[in-house]
């Protein structure tokens, strides 16, 4: 098994007891997600196109996701040992920023119909890169609406926000666009600058989300330390995309 879950718990501990003040507001007073509502706009109705693809089942998502022990370059894939990462205990203030923290159930006005979570890391490398890969399927039209909520968060939360966890808080100083991959129907990528508990060190994290029809492929990469890894490793995103496409075309 990988150790990404442990890495994220260790990173969360860095922020325990942090005093958060003067956090820049994410968006103006007209933000529909900034008053305790879900990250997505309540009236952001998905299109009801009859040609929109049906949501993949959990079994279908598993068939096109990384398998336990699968190797991708220096990385090894595994299932999360403690359930899904960045679940409902991870929220954002203001709420419009929530999609940047997690796209789990409740993050937007459109909950996934099914999801599969995988983690990748370098075996026996405790301080290396950790990558969370999450595939989520949605009802007709809702995947596009989720991407719209993510884009709104990426635009309105550039000045920072607070990530609230069960036992800690993290202060995001900055949200910047990053280079997104060319595959999929659409893709968004972001670079996060996060402040450590002492208010001196800056940590970096990257998020890339790709949509293909009714499915989103999310990649979140971090490094337990101050190193800026520059992006989600391209080989991981490409390998997952190719596996997803191959399975989709074969009817998996």
């Amino acid at each position: 098994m990988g150790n990404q879950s442990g890495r994220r718990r260790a990173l969360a501990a860095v922020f325990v007891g942090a005093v958060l003040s003067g956090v820049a507001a994410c968006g103006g007073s007209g933000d529909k997600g900034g008053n305790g509502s879900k990250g997505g706009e309540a009236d952001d109705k998905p299109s009801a196109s009859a040609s929109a693809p049906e949501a993949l089942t959990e079994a279908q998502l598993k068939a096109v996701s990384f398998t336990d022990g699968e190797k991708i370059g220096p990385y090894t894939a595994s299932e999360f040992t403690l359930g899904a990462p960045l679940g409902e205990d991870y929220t954002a203030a203001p709420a419009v920023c929530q999609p940047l923290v997690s796209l789990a159930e409740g993050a937007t006005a459109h909950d996934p119909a099914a999801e599969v979570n995988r983690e990748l890391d370098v075996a026996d490398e405790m301080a290396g890169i950790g990558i969370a890969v999450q595939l989520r399927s949605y009802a007709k039209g809702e995947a596009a609406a989720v991407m719209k909520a993510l884009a709104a968060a990426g635009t309105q939360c550039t000045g920072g926000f607070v990530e609230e966890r069960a036992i800690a808080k993290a202060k995001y100083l900055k949200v910047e666009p990053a280079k997104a991959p060319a595959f999929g129907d659409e893709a968004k990528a972001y670079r996060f600058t996060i402040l450590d508990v002492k208010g001196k060190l800056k940590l970096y994290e990257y998020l890339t989300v790709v949509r293909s029809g009714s499915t989103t492929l999310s990649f979140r990469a971090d490094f337990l330390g101050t190193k800026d890894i520059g992006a989600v490793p391209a080989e991981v995103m490409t390998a997952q995309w190719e596996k997803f496409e191959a399975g989709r075309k074969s009817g998996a």
Side-chain angles (χ1 to χ4, degrees):
M1 288 294 182
N3 56 23
Q4 172 71 6
S5 295
R7 237 189 230 114
R8 293 207 64 85
R9 290 197 303 275
L11 183 58
V14 171
F15 296 100
V16 174
V19 177
L20 301 173
S21 62
V23 178
C26 301
S29 59
D31 293 345
K32 297 182 181 181
N35 294 315
S37 64
K38 291 181 179 180
E41 295 183 2
D43 59 351
D44 185 16
K45 301 295 184 182
S47 59
S49 172
S51 62
E54 295 287 347
L56 298 181
T57 65
E58 183 178 356
Q60 288 174 314
L61 290 179
K62 285 182 177 179
V64 296
S65 67
F66 292 134
T67 57
D68 189 53
E70 184 172 351
K71 300 285 187 179
I72 302 90
Y75 306 100
T76 302
S78 63
E79 296 183 13
F80 278 86
T81 57
L82 296 175
L86 296 167
E88 61 184 8
D89 290 338
Y90 287 74
T91 59
V96 70
C97 305
Q98 178 66 30
L100 298 173
V101 172
S102 169
L103 287 174
E105 183 176 350
T108 74
H110 312 285
D111 291 339
E115 69 175 89
V116 170
N117 304 285
R118 298 289 182 262
E119 59 180 335
L120 288 90
D121 55 21
V122 178
D124 302 321
E125 188 175 271
M126 293 301 295
I129 298 174
I131 310 161
V133 179
Q134 300 169 282
L135 276 59
R136 298 182 175 95
S137 63
Y138 295 85
K140 293 181 178 180
E142 293 193 346
V146 167
M147 294 298 290
K148 184 177 179 180
L150 178 66
T155 298
Q156 298 180 52
C157 302
T158 56
F161 63 93
V162 177
E163 178 185 300
E164 299 182 345
R165 307 167 185 175
I167 58 173
K169 294 183 179 181
K171 184 175 181 179
Y172 282 57
L173 298 176
K174 188 186 300 183
V175 175
E176 302 170 280
K179 184 178 180 180
F183 45 74
D185 295 322
E186 58 179 319
K188 299 292 182 183
Y190 301 98
R191 174 183 185 263
F192 306 130
T193 302
I194 308 171
L195 191 66
D196 82 324
V197 65
K198 295 182 179 179
K200 296 181 179 180
L201 301 179
K202 292 181 179 179
L203 312 177
Y204 303 96
E205 188 171 283
Y206 287 83
L207 171 68
T208 298
V209 182
V210 177
R211 180 182 70 83
S212 177
S214 63
T215 304
T216 62
L217 294 76
S218 173
F219 306 87
R220 186 179 295 268
D222 61 24
F223 185 90
L224 191 57
T226 58
K227 178 181 178 181
D228 186 346
I229 60 176
V232 176
E235 59 193 315
V236 171
M237 292 191 292
T238 299
Q240 177 58 89
W241 170 253
E242 290 178 348
K243 188 167 188 176
F244 171 78
E245 274 290 272
R248 185 181 64 83
K249 290 178 180 179
S250 67

